[in-house]
Amino acid sequence: MFRYYYGFDIYYLVLILPAMLLGLWAQARVNSTFNRYSHVRCRQGYTGSQIARRILDANGLTDVRIEGIRGNLTDHYDPTARVVRLSDSVYDSPSIAAIGVAAHEVGHAIQHANSYAPLTIRNAIIPVTNIGSKLSIPLILLGVVMSFQPLVTVGIVAFSLMAVFQLITLPVEFNASSRALATLNGEHYLDEEEVYGARKVLSAAALTYVAALVMSLAQLMRLVALFGNRDRD
Ligand SMILES: [Zn+2]
């Protein structure tokens, strides 16, 4: 059975390969969209970090800090340290892409402050998801070797936790982006045309989370197809 999991099978062809292509396409799209709009300067001239500071302060989050971080598209909000970290191409850049990403990360800080339910659930299941993703394949293989199907089932359920995590990530990400665009538009940080560009950047970023979920579901379906109903044999 080992050779099936690590080898090439029909489920790899019809499930994993299409999901992989979707993931690569989504990644290429977010890179090209970000790159395009990182060369378009917004008319107001605020940088990513300035916009982040303004939106945080306007929401009473004066104690949430903003820091720079190395790398490309490494921007995130750290709920433990309560810090918005912005990458080099966002922190000091007055581009539409930078403004969009900065406002999105601040959206996560506002979700955190408001105890936005999907974010709370997502953070709560992270430890379980981590354990599940480490144990799932060893459990499945052990179950197969021992010909003990309940162990295989537990392994598959453990693997499915990753998909659950990625599913809950979607409303968190979509909500952070819609908050960001509403604020940028409502507070007139960006005009209509600029908001359109920021929306394209954030939509492209959101698609990578959809692609990650599709990949997990494809892997899960393949595991079920290969190991799920062996009692039938
Ligand atoms: Zn996000």
Side-chain angles (χ1 to χ4, degrees), residues 2-130:
F2 293 104
R3 70 192 172 89
Y4 287 112
Y5 186 74
Y6 292 106
F8 192 84
D9 53 70
I10 186 67
Y11 305 110
Y12 191 92
L13 195 67
V14 299
L15 293 170
I16 307 298
L17 211 57
M20 210 183 276
L21 291 174
L22 175 70
L24 289 172
W25 177 74
Q27 199 54 53
R29 197 161 165 269
V30 74
N31 287 337
S32 69
T33 312
F34 183 87
N35 192 38
R36 183 160 130 222
Y37 286 100
S38 66
H39 291 102
V40 183
R41 191 189 159 92
C42 77
R43 295 189 179 92
Q44 292 239 20
Y46 290 120
T47 65
S49 57
Q50 286 170 337
I51 282 288
R53 187 71 271 157
R54 279 176 171 258
I55 302 176
L56 284 170
D57 291 352
N59 283 275
L61 299 175
T62 48
D63 53 339
V64 171
R65 288 178 295 124
I66 301 168
E67 290 176 358
I69 185 170
R70 283 163 183 269
N72 202 17
L73 296 174
T74 46
D75 310 76
H76 65 274
Y77 169 66
D78 177 347
T80 312
R82 299 189 74 223
V83 173
V84 171
R85 297 205 178 90
L86 303 176
S87 63
D88 296 338
S89 51
V90 170
Y91 194 97
D92 277 327
S93 165
S95 73
I96 289 173
I99 301 298
V101 169
H104 170 96
E105 298 312 332
V106 169
H108 287 310
I110 297 169
Q111 288 173 337
H112 186 212
N114 294 349
S115 301
Y116 176 64
L119 182 71
T120 310
I121 297 169
R122 198 189 76 140
N123 290 343
I125 67 167
I126 285 176
V128 188
T129 308
N130 287 341

